[in-house]
Amino acid sequence: GRARAPSMSDSELLSKKVAQLTKVIALLNTRNEDAEAKLAQVKTAAEHELSGAIADAKAKIVAAIEKGTKQKAAEKDMQDRLKALEKEYETEKKKGLKAIETAKEQEAKRADERIAAATKQLDVLRGELEARCTELERVTGAMRCSGERDKEMASKHKMELEAVVQHHNKKYNEMLKEQLAE
């Protein structure tokens, strides 16, 4: 076969088709460029938003770390203060207990001294009383021999003796109360 030369109408048709395809390609290129530009804008906006979110998250993390660090430091400070107070309390408690024990010992010593002094004074008074009783008995015995007059004297001496005994007992009780009151 023979090759057929394209007719003008085919050439026009082809030209038209090429022109149409060129328009379609130009339109597609324009749309593609617009889409690429829009995609670049969306990408830039997304990157900007993402970097803002990352910066905000970093700031929040740093703030949380700083807050945690401050809280830990405050907790440690409070624990240190608590330990110092506990130590001070124990020291003061030991001092107080020692002072109480010393005061008890001193008071016991003073009480023993007062009792010893009262006992010594009591012994002296008993000795004096026994000496007076002995003297009174001697005098009373001598008076028994002298009759009626002696009976009066004996009665009088007995009353004197009782008065002396009562006086010494009263004096002893007062002294004992004074010693125990100290």
Side-chain angles (χ1 to χ4, degrees):
R2 224 168 24 133
R4 189 172 154 197
S7 70
M8 190 60 132
S9 69
D10 283 341
S11 162
E12 282 178 9
L13 189 62
L14 195 55
S15 243
K16 238 180 179 184
K17 289 285 180 189
V18 168
Q20 282 178 345
L21 285 174
T22 302
K23 283 182 186 177
V24 169
I25 289 173
L27 181 65
L28 287 175
N29 276 339
T30 303
R31 283 185 183 170
N32 188 33
E33 286 172 3
D34 287 346
E36 283 179 5
K38 191 167 187 160
L39 182 64
Q41 278 181 335
V42 169
K43 182 179 176 187
T44 303
E47 285 176 353
H48 180 70
E49 189 177 325
L50 186 59
S51 65
I54 289 172
D56 187 43
K58 278 184 180 179
K60 287 179 180 177
I61 290 171
V62 167
I65 289 172
E66 287 176 1
K67 185 178 179 182
T69 303
K70 287 178 184 176
Q71 284 178 340
K72 284 182 183 177
E75 281 180 23
K76 185 178 183 323
D77 185 46
M78 291 300 270
Q79 287 175 349
D80 291 345
R81 287 182 184 176
L82 180 61
K83 285 179 184 177
L85 285 173
E86 286 173 346
K87 187 176 180 181
E88 184 178 337
Y89 167 76
E90 286 300 320
T91 302
E92 290 300 318
K93 181 180 170 183
K94 286 178 185 176
K95 285 181 184 177
L97 291 174
K98 187 175 181 180
I100 289 170
E101 190 61 34
T102 302
K104 281 182 182 179
E105 290 171 0
Q106 289 173 348
E107 187 57 34
K109 184 178 177 183
R110 276 184 257 154
D112 289 344
E113 289 171 356
R114 285 192 306 259
I115 290 171
T119 303
K120 186 176 180 182
Q121 195 171 8
L122 177 63
D123 289 342
V124 168
L125 290 174
R126 277 188 186 154
E128 289 176 6
L129 181 62
E130 286 176 6
R132 285 189 178 185
C133 285
T134 304
E135 177 64 23
L136 186 60
E137 286 176 6
R138 185 187 64 75
V139 169
T140 305
M143 293 178 101
R144 280 186 207 156
C145 300
S146 38
E148 189 64 37
R149 185 171 164 234
D150 289 342
K151 284 182 183 180
E152 282 180 29
M153 289 296 270
S155 175
K156 187 177 177 183
H157 284 294
K158 186 176 181 182
M159 289 187 342
E160 284 180 15
L161 178 62
E162 286 176 2
V164 168
V165 168
Q166 286 177 355
H167 174 72
H168 281 286
N169 281 343
K170 184 178 176 184
K171 193 174 178 182
Y172 168 74
N173 286 336
E174 288 174 2
M175 181 214 49
L176 191 58
K177 283 181 185 176
E178 285 178 23
Q179 291 294 323
L180 291 178
E182 291 176 13

